[in-house]
Amino acid sequence: MRITAYQPLLHYRQVAALWERALGETYPVSERVLFPRIVGRNTLESGDGLIALDGDCIVGFGLLEIDRAPINLGRPESVQALLVDPAYERQGIGSELLTRLEGRLRELGVANVITGGGPWRFWTGVPEDLTAATAFFAKHGYMANYEAIDLCGPLADYRMPD
């Protein structure tokens, strides 16, 4: 197993396939949503993401969102994504990716980190229905500090009340 820097244009397709293997059934994601968050955003710098490789196959992926705007100094940065191929779970890959991502933040002088914050987030925090992910982050010292509610519904027949 080898962990190395995520290179967005080189690794995008394999990370998209990893997402499908790890979360596709519960949280399918379109290229329209995935690409801007892990490739196209202007805040992404080399070292903000990592991949775990078994040979040439990406089996783990971790990505930070770091807001480098001076107006936001002191705001917590976030772990945007942490994925491990289901066939490779419980081998320490996720823990190693998280440890290295936290190390990157420490090198940048960041004192606080959360899961899923910032404008490029997939979720606000860790979804409750991803119980293994919730337990993983709790084991590593992360805890929910508020309840976020995402609501959606059909608008075809919606009428604005008077």
Side-chain angles (χ1 to χ4, degrees):
M1 193 67 48
R2 183 170 57 96
I3 295 180
T4 190
Y6 166 64
Q7 297 175 44
L9 294 175
L10 179 63
H11 299 133
Y12 172 72
R13 291 282 170 218
Q14 278 199 64
V15 170
L18 172 62
W19 182 291
E20 184 62 29
R21 292 190 307 275
L23 293 172
E25 191 171 305
T26 308
Y27 288 100
V29 66
S30 68
E31 186 163 343
R32 182 181 64 81
V33 171
L34 186 62
F35 189 87
R37 282 167 177 75
I38 72 169
V39 176
R41 67 178 210 235
N42 62 355
T43 59
L44 188 58
E45 291 187 5
S46 179
D48 291 352
L50 298 170
I51 56 169
L53 294 159
D54 184 6
D56 292 333
C57 183
I58 295 176
V59 297
F61 171 68
L63 184 67
L64 298 170
E65 181 168 348
I66 301 170
D67 186 347
R68 293 173 170 88
I71 196 166
N72 290 327
L73 291 177
R75 180 181 74 78
E77 304 303 348
S78 65
V79 176
Q80 291 304 95
L82 190 62
L83 305 170
V84 176
D85 187 305
Y88 289 80
E89 288 177 346
R90 305 209 182 284
Q91 297 180 29
I93 296 169
S95 294
E96 183 63 24
L97 287 169
L98 183 60
T99 296
R100 291 187 189 202
L101 291 172
E102 290 170 337
R104 165 97 170 138
L105 292 172
R106 276 191 298 282
E107 289 171 4
L108 295 171
V110 174
N112 297 307
V113 61
I114 60 173
T115 55
W120 296 104
R121 68 186 176 275
F122 291 100
W123 303 282
T124 303
V126 180
E128 289 178 352
D129 60 342
L130 296 178
T131 55
T134 302
F136 170 86
F137 281 104
K139 179 179 108 177
H140 289 280
Y142 292 76
M143 59 185 185
N145 59 357
Y146 65 93
E147 183 176 6
I149 300 172
D150 293 329
L151 301 173
C152 64
L155 295 176
D157 296 323
Y158 178 77
R159 299 212 190 283
M160 184 69 98
D162 293 335

